[in-house]
Amino acid sequence: MVKKIVILGSTGSIGRQTLEVVEQFPDKLKVMGLSAKNNIELLEKQIRKHKPLAAAVWQEDKASALKKRIAGLHTEILAGEEGLNTLAAQPEAEMVVVALVGFSGFKPTFTALQADKEIALANKEALVVGGELIMAEARLRNKVIRPVDSEHSAIFQCLQAGDAKEVERIVLTASGGPFFGWGKKELAAVQPEQALKHPNWEMGAKITIDSATLMNKGFEVLEARWLFDLQLSQIDVVIHPQSIVHSLVEYIDGSTIAQMGPPSMLHPIQYALSYPERWANALTRLQWKKESRLNFAPPDLETFPCLRYAYQAGEEGGTMPAVLNAANEIAVEKFMEGQLPFLCIPALLKAVMVRHRSKAKPTLEDIVGADAWGRENAKKILQKKRSLI
Amino acid sequence: MVKKIVILGSTGSIGRQTLEVVEQFPDKLKVMGLSAKNNIELLEKQIRKHKPLAAAVWQEDKASALKKRIAGLHTEILAGEEGLNTLAAQPEAEMVVVALVGFSGFKPTFTALQADKEIALANKEALVVGGELIMAEARLRNKVIRPVDSEHSAIFQCLQAGDAKEVERIVLTASGGPFFGWGKKELAAVQPEQALKHPNWEMGAKITIDSATLMNKGFEVLEARWLFDLQLSQIDVVIHPQSIVHSLVEYIDGSTIAQMGPPSMLHPIQYALSYPERWANALTRLQWKKESRLNFAPPDLETFPCLRYAYQAGEEGGTMPAVLNAANEIAVEKFMEGQLPFLCIPALLKAVMVRHRSKAKPTLEDIVGADAWGRENAKKILQKKRSLI
């Protein structure tokens, strides 16, 4: 049986790799919709190859341009936020792969769920900012959200070896990023090019910077909390520089189940699409025939405080994680533009969090409001005080 | 609900630890029967504590002695092979834990299965010599054999993350024993005391010597083959000196699931008893808060050929594995008595295997016959030619 899917964010790193998986299984997967922010050159190629019913472009002028370029094809072109949400609820699709970057993934995820779609979620921010809302909707509709993140895919797989109530804790592994083991002195001079070189994973720019600050791991903690219905105290993080063990579940009887694999996103993407089945593929396998070593170490929360801030935002709850995420999006943007030193990223996040009064049990509008508030205040602080530390 | 269990071999290492687990869960487990080869002092203590309906003693004179010592108690004392088989089929018991050593575990396992008991199997030799027979009986009765061996318990747990037909291969981990990395020169002078010092595991003497020669790992390959219905080509072995990863399952989509835990038999024993549930306990947990390292390396099949012989016996099939096991029991016995150098253990096994003409699809009687043949021929070779290499 062919599964009909929509890919939101098909020109990004995860979106492109999702299409690679689709191409390997033409009898199992069919693309019904694609979307891009502004890369219409690539989107056009994807449309010509996969012939989806519809494609959405975030930037409205780019949508018009694309419409002309593919005149004569049967793919309908949608534009802007409305277009993206229309695509997320496309009646012909059974599953929506959310591969959007940052806060922009939140509303389309919610829309797709409300339209009763299966969700393969590569956008952790959706759960970071709106986990409570999204999981309530998923429970209501009896949907299992399939994680695409390698760590959450690992946990998702390991959880099959026991019952949910038999979980003692989970341990998320973190490569530690390019600056593992560095001190504050060395970090002070870090340039964007350095932060963009991840030792193990090829990913988009935003998540690569978040990996370097450990903010990404912090968001993963918050994502895991909602996805697997855990207390924050049940979620640990361990640095594992080789990125072979993708995460672990420890059960109440002291048995630990780990999921391992080469550091490639193709594996977890495929599992999100194939679940509950597994499909044979020709992807890389782990090699056990030669000597190898796996290292583990505790994270350095003093030098990389973003991870700690995520736990704090999670404890506070309500709109605080949305504000943390918003401030971080601004901080990363400014860092990449060369306008904010690396060590000022956490400093900015802290300054914004301190100012925010969290609202409990936020509605969708509260979350959208908190996101705007966080961005605005991050910018304000940056204007007032260019040097934060 | 209380599960009523019989422990065959309750005075050995696994038997004693099984009773430790039972004592932790008095509302879940109740001992109905115990057995020992000759250690009636310990068996008496166990009887006074657990008050089983019956206890069997292999040595008939020891059985009579025990009968006198516990006169007045309600525990019936059984003797010899017949007594052991009676206990294995005890009508009041639901589960039989087979913690016997070597070939002696084969017939009682088969008897317990035929009496429709659940089986928790710590005796790998039962499957090494009679896997085909035992698994056919288990399938017939719709019984899942619960492995107690840490490696097989690991595989058993990892297999829950996928379907049996989605397994690509399994990887059994081996500590490498006390002589990992040694060459033949150093091994030539090895004394029994050295071989009895296992770096990670506290186990009985026989299995500790088998770990030093890698014969134990070879038997585990043959056990796994039957237990999980795999081809020998789907079973790999990797040396992992820390004994933290207890084994791994690789699925057809390239995802690997591993089970980890401290090197303690209490965890897998408990899981065999609690399956499909997991029970909360206060056993040691893995520590991730401090730096740690896991190493992996291929086994050295030239220096430790016993592992290779197991694969060869498995490929040959029929009665060959029973002969390999029988020869190994004699070889280990002679090594422990100081009458056979360490390096002559594999040499003796090879000499016996070469002489044997395997019989396909063996009956229970064929297997018992092959075992006797293997022992006899191992002894003959030893008498003729004291120096094998």
Side-chain angles (χ1 to χ4, degrees):
Chain A
M1 223 186 57
V2 178
K3 203 175 280 177
K4 294 172 184 168
I5 70 170
V6 159
I7 305 171
L8 304 183
S10 62
T11 60
S13 173
I14 296 292
R16 293 193 308 267
Q17 293 181 77
T18 303
L19 286 172
E20 273 187 59
V21 173
V22 169
E23 287 159 26
Q24 294 301 313
F25 300 99
D27 55 332
K28 296 185 190 289
L29 299 166
K30 167 90 188 96
V31 173
M32 307 303 283
L34 296 169
S35 97
K37 188 175 174 189
N38 52 32
N39 185 353
I40 54 170
E41 290 74 23
L42 179 55
L43 186 59
E44 182 186 345
K45 281 185 201 158
Q46 295 177 341
I47 290 170
R48 292 192 184 275
K49 192 166 200 172
H50 293 280
K51 304 180 179 57
L53 287 179
V57 182
W58 182 262
Q59 289 187 12
E60 314 233 347
D61 55 328
K62 296 277 185 180
S64 309
L66 179 63
K67 222 177 258 184
K68 284 173 202 152
R69 291 168 74 140
I70 64 152
L73 294 189
H74 291 291
T75 300
E76 181 190 5
I77 302 299
L78 307 164
E81 183 171 3
E82 203 190 310
L84 191 63
N85 280 301
T86 303
L87 194 66
Q90 193 190 59
E92 294 83 0
E94 297 153 64
M95 183 187 289
V96 174
V97 180
V98 185
L100 299 163
V101 176
F103 185 78
S104 70
F106 169 50
K107 281 206 276 180
T109 301
F110 197 66
T111 304
L113 258 180
Q114 286 185 312
D116 223 39
K117 305 302 178 199
E118 298 292 334
I119 305 285
L121 189 64
N123 173 275
K124 54 178 71 75
E125 290 85 351
L127 289 177
V128 170
V129 306
E132 212 169 343
L133 267 183
I134 287 176
M135 295 313 291
E137 189 70 25
R139 266 191 301 274
L140 193 72
R141 297 179 178 275
N142 212 12
K143 297 286 181 205
V144 174
I145 293 185
R146 301 143 182 247
V148 171
D149 244 357
S150 65
E151 293 81 358
H152 301 78
S153 176
I155 300 293
F156 189 58
Q157 295 179 55
C158 294
L159 285 173
Q160 297 177 24
D163 194 275
K165 66 178 189 300
E166 294 167 348
V167 174
E168 191 157 285
R169 60 169 179 156
I170 67 173
V171 182
L172 299 175
T173 54
S175 70
F179 309 133
F180 171 56
W182 289 34
K184 287 202 179 179
K185 232 178 193 171
E186 299 141 294
L187 289 176
V190 155
Q191 294 302 306
E193 309 86 75
Q194 293 170 281
L196 283 169
K197 275 187 197 134
H198 195 280
N200 305 336
W201 297 94
E202 269 203 52
M203 305 181 290
K206 165 70 165 50
I207 188 173
T208 304
I209 304 296
D210 286 345
S211 291
T213 61
L214 289 197
M215 187 72 260
N216 181 54
K217 205 52 55 178
F219 288 153
E220 288 180 4
V221 169
L222 299 175
E223 179 185 6
R225 171 211 195 158
W226 295 114
L227 209 43
F228 307 120
D229 195 17
L230 297 167
Q231 302 298 313
L232 286 167
S233 58
Q234 290 178 287
I235 308 173
D236 282 339
V237 170
V238 66
I239 304 292
H240 166 47
Q242 293 91 356
S243 298
I244 296 296
V245 177
H246 296 314
S247 281
L248 314 97
V249 172
E250 187 179 275
Y251 286 97
I252 53 171
D253 60 356
S255 175
T256 296
I257 306 291
Q259 190 268 341
M260 303 163 94
S264 150
M265 286 306 297
L266 293 170
H267 297 79
I269 290 170
Q270 183 184 314
Y271 189 68
L273 299 175
S274 74
Y275 171 84
E277 293 173 11
R278 293 181 181 276
W279 299 338
N281 62 26
L283 296 177
T284 326
R285 299 308 195 238
L286 290 180
Q287 292 304 321
W288 301 102
K289 300 261 174 201
K290 52 178 189 181
E291 283 197 37
S292 60
R293 196 173 66 182
L294 303 175
N295 291 81
F296 301 89
D300 177 355
L301 298 180
E302 277 315 304
T303 312
F304 299 93
C306 290
L307 177 54
R308 210 171 62 219
Y309 297 161
Y311 277 97
Q312 288 169 1
E315 290 296 350
E316 178 96 27
T319 49
M320 189 58 92
V323 163
L324 172 62
N325 176 67
N328 184 61
E329 291 198 22
I330 299 299
V332 171
E333 195 182 302
K334 296 297 174 193
F335 169 72
M336 294 219 281
E337 291 169 1
Q339 291 180 37
L340 187 71
F342 187 78
L343 284 180
C344 291
I345 297 175
L348 177 60
L349 306 190
K350 191 178 180 181
V352 177
M353 280 174 71
V354 164
R355 289 175 179 217
H356 183 63
R357 288 182 54 192
S358 179
K359 182 168 187 294
K361 299 262 168 208
T363 61
L364 190 135
E365 290 69 31
D366 292 334
I367 291 164
V368 172
D371 177 71
W373 186 95
R375 285 165 201 274
E376 192 186 322
N377 277 269
K379 285 178 188 165
K380 266 191 205 162
I381 294 169
L382 278 174
Q383 276 168 352
K384 268 199 252 175
K385 202 178 176 184
R386 298 209 61 88
S387 166
L388 283 151
I389 48 172
Chain B
M1 223 186 55
V2 178
K3 203 175 281 179
K4 295 173 183 168
I5 69 170
V6 159
I7 305 171
L8 304 183
S10 63
T11 60
S13 172
I14 296 292
R16 295 194 308 269
Q17 293 181 79
T18 303
L19 286 172
E20 273 188 59
V21 172
V22 169
E23 286 160 27
Q24 294 301 313
F25 300 98
D27 55 332
K28 296 184 190 289
L29 299 167
K30 167 91 189 94
V31 172
M32 308 304 284
L34 295 170
S35 97
K37 188 175 176 187
N38 53 32
N39 185 353
I40 56 170
E41 291 74 24
L42 179 54
L43 186 58
E44 182 186 346
K45 282 186 199 156
Q46 294 177 342
I47 291 171
R48 291 191 184 277
K49 192 165 197 173
H50 293 279
K51 303 180 178 58
L53 287 179
V57 182
W58 183 263
Q59 289 187 10
E60 313 233 348
D61 55 329
K62 295 278 185 179
S64 309
L66 180 63
K67 223 177 255 185
K68 284 174 203 151
R69 292 168 74 142
I70 64 154
L73 294 189
H74 292 291
T75 299
E76 180 190 6
I77 302 299
L78 308 163
E81 184 171 3
E82 203 191 311
L84 190 62
N85 280 301
T86 303
L87 195 66
Q90 194 190 59
E92 294 83 0
E94 296 153 65
M95 185 187 289
V96 174
V97 180
V98 185
L100 299 163
V101 176
F103 185 78
S104 70
F106 169 50
K107 281 206 275 181
T109 301
F110 197 65
T111 304
L113 258 180
Q114 286 186 311
D116 223 40
K117 305 301 178 199
E118 298 292 333
I119 305 286
L121 190 64
N123 173 275
K124 55 178 71 74
E125 290 84 351
L127 289 177
V128 170
V129 306
E132 211 167 345
L133 267 183
I134 287 176
M135 294 313 290
E137 189 70 26
R139 265 190 301 273
L140 194 73
R141 298 179 178 275
N142 212 11
K143 297 285 181 205
V144 174
I145 293 185
R146 300 143 182 249
V148 170
D149 243 358
S150 64
E151 293 81 356
H152 301 78
S153 176
I155 300 294
F156 189 58
Q157 294 179 56
C158 294
L159 285 174
Q160 296 177 26
D163 194 275
K165 66 177 189 300
E166 293 167 348
V167 173
E168 191 158 286
R169 60 167 181 160
I170 67 172
V171 182
L172 299 175
T173 54
S175 70
F179 309 133
F180 172 55
W182 288 35
K184 287 202 178 178
K185 232 177 194 170
E186 300 140 295
L187 289 176
V190 154
Q191 294 302 306
E193 311 85 76
Q194 292 170 279
L196 284 168
K197 276 187 196 134
H198 195 280
N200 305 335
W201 297 94
E202 268 202 52
M203 306 181 290
K206 164 72 166 47
I207 187 173
T208 304
I209 304 296
D210 286 344
S211 291
T213 61
L214 289 197
M215 188 72 260
N216 181 54
K217 204 52 53 177
F219 288 154
E220 288 180 5
V221 169
L222 298 176
E223 180 185 6
R225 171 211 195 158
W226 295 114
L227 210 43
F228 307 120
D229 195 17
L230 297 168
Q231 302 298 313
L232 286 167
S233 58
Q234 290 178 288
I235 308 174
D236 282 338
V237 170
V238 65
I239 304 292
H240 166 48
Q242 293 91 358
S243 297
I244 296 296
V245 177
H246 296 314
S247 282
L248 314 97
V249 172
E250 187 178 277
Y251 286 97
I252 52 170
D253 60 355
S255 175
T256 297
I257 306 291
Q259 191 268 341
M260 303 163 94
S264 151
M265 287 306 297
L266 294 170
H267 297 81
I269 291 170
Q270 182 184 312
Y271 190 67
L273 300 175
S274 74
Y275 171 85
E277 293 174 11
R278 292 182 182 276
W279 299 339
N281 62 26
L283 296 177
T284 327
R285 299 306 194 242
L286 290 179
Q287 292 304 322
W288 300 103
K289 299 262 174 204
K290 52 178 189 181
E291 282 197 37
S292 60
R293 197 174 64 182
L294 303 175
N295 290 81
F296 301 89
D300 176 357
L301 297 180
E302 277 315 304
T303 312
F304 300 93
C306 290
L307 176 54
R308 212 172 60 218
Y309 297 161
Y311 276 97
Q312 287 169 2
E315 290 295 351
E316 178 95 28
T319 49
M320 190 57 92
V323 164
L324 172 63
N325 176 68
N328 184 60
E329 291 198 21
I330 298 300
V332 171
E333 197 183 300
K334 297 297 174 192
F335 169 71
M336 294 221 282
E337 290 168 1
Q339 291 179 35
L340 188 71
F342 187 77
L343 284 180
C344 291
I345 297 175
L348 178 58
L349 305 191
K350 192 178 179 181
V352 177
M353 280 174 70
V354 164
R355 289 174 178 221
H356 183 62
R357 288 183 54 193
S358 178
K359 183 169 187 294
K361 299 261 168 207
T363 62
L364 191 135
E365 291 68 31
D366 292 335
I367 291 165
V368 172
D371 177 70
W373 186 95
R375 285 167 201 274
E376 194 186 319
N377 278 270
K379 286 177 188 164
K380 266 191 206 162
I381 293 170
L382 278 174
Q383 276 168 352
K384 270 199 250 174
K385 201 179 176 183
R386 297 210 62 86
S387 167
L388 284 151
I389 51 170

